[in-house]
Amino acid sequence: MSTPATTMPVHAMLVLGTRPEAIKLAPVARAMAAGPQFEPIVVTTGQHREMLHQMLGMLGVDVRIALDVMRTRQQLSDLTARLVRELGTVLREQRPDLVVVQGDTTTALAGALAAFYEKIPVAHVEAGLRTGVIDNPFPEELNRSLIGRIARWHFAPTPAAARHLTDEGVPDEQVFTTGNTVIDNLLWVLAEGSGTSAFRTDAGARDADMIRRAGPKRILVTLHRRENQGERMRGMGRALTRLARRGDVEIVLPLHKSPAVRDALLPELDGQRGIKLVEPLDYLDFAATLAECDLVLTDSGGIQEEAPSLAKPSLVLRTTTERPEAVEAGAARLIGTDPDAIVTWAERLLDDPAEYRRMATAGNPFGDGEAARRILGQLAEDFAADVPVGLTASGPYSTA
């Protein structure tokens, strides 16, 4: 793909509010800042305010505008209204050439919607993920579907995600398979080598076949998803306690800041031997912790994409996943949320070397670390073209 030079830099507003958005948009922001074709305007909404700004500095991203939209236990409707209103004000002040959003958060939806209202074209990074169940995950499945009706550029991480979009009627010329920018960032961070693992012992270099090695088997757990909170998450906590009682595992769980997550997990896990609860890790430390673990238990999304690059099997504690590629490749397994199933599948991987090896060596279907380069190449090509860049191209979504 060619990347024609533009006479004036394209002013690109990158809107992000959560840690995953920051991680996945950082490679795009860094690449834009490194050349003359784009001027990145990074706007943070404060959805994960405490986690964001220090991490963005570590990732080489400069924040231009910082909003403060979060209120204690606010309703989604209130958050969405506040985001659209405040982002609309910023867009009218800055008048960027395009808005870039990532994924499926409330910030991403509000950023796309506010840009649409201001008639500014939208680029959607990590487009096309679908479970087919409108409220699972909630509200992410609806968010990403709605962004799919707004965006001018759809940067899909995999061919399957691209097919979801074209099946929904998005014109082929608006859909681009790029790989996932999370792999770009993971490889960049690990090359920097400045993170510190949260696991207690220092085992040095760890190969994929952990079964043959002595010492505790290291399990990294991430839990936060809204539909899992409450009794379901308390059951997950009880499953982790059962695994810890084996005596041969070391479990690290970075506790999400959400009060609902802490209310569910702290009574079950606080003080349990073999379980280390830590505050949310900055991304450098999280990457180092992921690199040191043997097994991942998660209800998160991004870690399903990162773990296969490091040969770490993942058990996905959800009933649906918008990332079936990892499951289909054999690098992850969707096991649901039942505590007995969690214990059964974790012990199978901990105790069966052949099963562990099959998952650890499955490979990563989500990319090669070149996604940001492909995204910028396409945007530069389109902005340098003779035809004006509008909200949409031709096809059923045209506003012409």
Side-chain angles (χ1 to χ4, degrees):
M1 179 184 298
S2 62
T3 55
T6 56
T7 56
M8 294 289 289
V10 175
H11 291 76
M13 181 173 289
L14 290 79
V15 179
L16 56 93
T18 67
R19 172 182 167 132
E21 288 170 298
I23 291 167
K24 293 182 178 183
L25 284 180
V28 179
R30 286 196 302 266
M32 285 182 171
Q37 294 173 310
F38 295 90
E39 181 180 333
I41 305 167
V42 177
V43 177
T44 65
T45 65
Q47 217 182 315
H48 286 178
R49 187 179 184 87
E50 293 181 28
M51 302 181 185
L52 270 187
H53 284 219
Q54 182 181 11
M55 183 182 70
L56 284 168
M58 293 176 179
L59 295 178
V61 176
D62 293 326
V63 175
R64 179 83 63 88
I65 298 168
L67 304 178
D68 182 13
V69 300
M70 291 306 291
R71 304 293 182 270
T72 302
R73 297 183 185 269
Q74 71 180 329
Q75 297 297 312
L76 272 174
S77 54
D78 295 330
L79 172 61
T80 304
R82 185 172 288 113
L83 281 167
V84 173
R85 182 176 62 250
E86 296 199 20
L87 287 170
T89 299
V90 171
L91 288 169
R92 287 188 293 274
E93 292 171 350
Q94 298 291 320
R95 299 309 304 175
D97 298 305
L98 81 153
V99 168
V100 183
V101 299
Q102 189 281 326
D104 49 26
T105 67
T106 305
T107 283
L109 173 61
L113 188 58
F116 179 80
Y117 289 158
E118 300 302 322
K119 298 187 177 182
I120 299 169
V122 173
H124 187 198
V125 175
E126 196 181 53
L129 277 63
R130 299 289 187 270
T131 66
V133 182
I134 196 169
D135 61 350
N136 192 344
F138 178 88
E140 289 85 356
E141 178 72 4
L142 179 63
N143 289 349
R144 53 189 170 233
S145 298
L146 293 175
I147 297 169
R149 297 301 302 264
I150 296 171
R152 164 63 176 81
W153 295 271
H154 305 257
F155 294 116
T158 65
R163 285 194 298 273
H164 290 153
L165 292 160
T166 54
D167 287 348
E168 292 172 1
V170 179
D172 288 345
E173 63 268 26
Q174 290 183 245
V175 180
F176 312 93
T177 302
T178 61
N180 200 305
T181 54
V182 74
I183 308 303
D184 301 33
N185 212 44
L186 178 66
L187 298 179
W188 183 85
V189 164
L190 291 176
E192 292 288 301
S194 54
T196 301
S197 170
F199 287 104
R200 292 188 181 92
T201 55
D202 182 10
R206 299 170 70 84
D207 59 32
D209 191 1
M210 65 91 179
I211 300 296
R212 295 181 301 178
R213 288 185 275 101
K217 299 165 184 178
R218 297 174 169 189
I219 303 174
L220 174 60
V221 182
T222 67
L223 296 173
H224 79 282
R225 197 158 294 280
R226 193 180 297 263
E227 67 268 21
N228 282 344
Q229 293 171 9
E231 181 54 37
R232 187 177 292 176
M233 192 167 286
R234 285 190 285 273
M236 294 176 178
R238 291 190 290 271
L240 296 178
T241 299
R242 288 165 60 185
L243 288 171
R245 287 173 181 161
R246 287 169 49 107
D248 65 344
V249 299
E250 181 183 352
I251 297 172
V252 165
L253 195 163
L255 270 175
H256 197 276
K257 289 289 188 181
S258 164
V261 171
R262 294 185 174 224
D263 289 348
L265 292 178
L266 280 171
E268 302 293 339
L269 301 179
D270 195 26
Q272 291 288 342
R273 186 175 182 180
I275 299 177
K276 183 179 181 182
L277 302 178
V278 298
E279 289 300 309
L281 302 172
D282 69 51
Y283 187 64
L284 302 184
D285 291 346
F286 183 82
T289 304
L290 177 61
E292 285 276 300
C293 82
D294 298 306
L295 175 63
V296 173
L297 273 61
T298 185
D299 69 358
S300 304
I303 197 171
Q304 297 176 50
E305 300 153 347
E306 296 166 305
S309 285
L310 303 179
K312 311 300 181 182
S314 298
L315 296 178
V316 183
L317 312 186
R318 294 167 56 178
T319 56
T320 63
T321 179
E322 62 279 13
R323 295 168 174 86
E325 295 90 344
V327 176
E328 292 163 2
R333 188 175 293 274
L334 186 68
I335 65 169
T337 60
D338 178 72
D340 290 336
I342 294 170
V343 173
T344 296
W345 278 107
E347 291 192 327
R348 180 171 176 178
L349 284 170
L350 293 171
D351 298 333
D352 185 339
E355 180 70 16
Y356 183 90
R357 193 177 300 110
R358 277 192 294 272
M359 291 188 68
T361 59
N364 194 340
F366 292 110
D368 57 3
E370 296 291 331
R373 177 185 61 80
R374 296 185 183 103
I375 289 167
L376 264 62
Q378 187 61 54
L379 291 173
E381 182 176 297
D382 287 350
F383 273 92
D386 291 334
V387 295
V389 174
L391 288 177
T392 61
S394 61
Y397 293 4
S398 175
T399 59

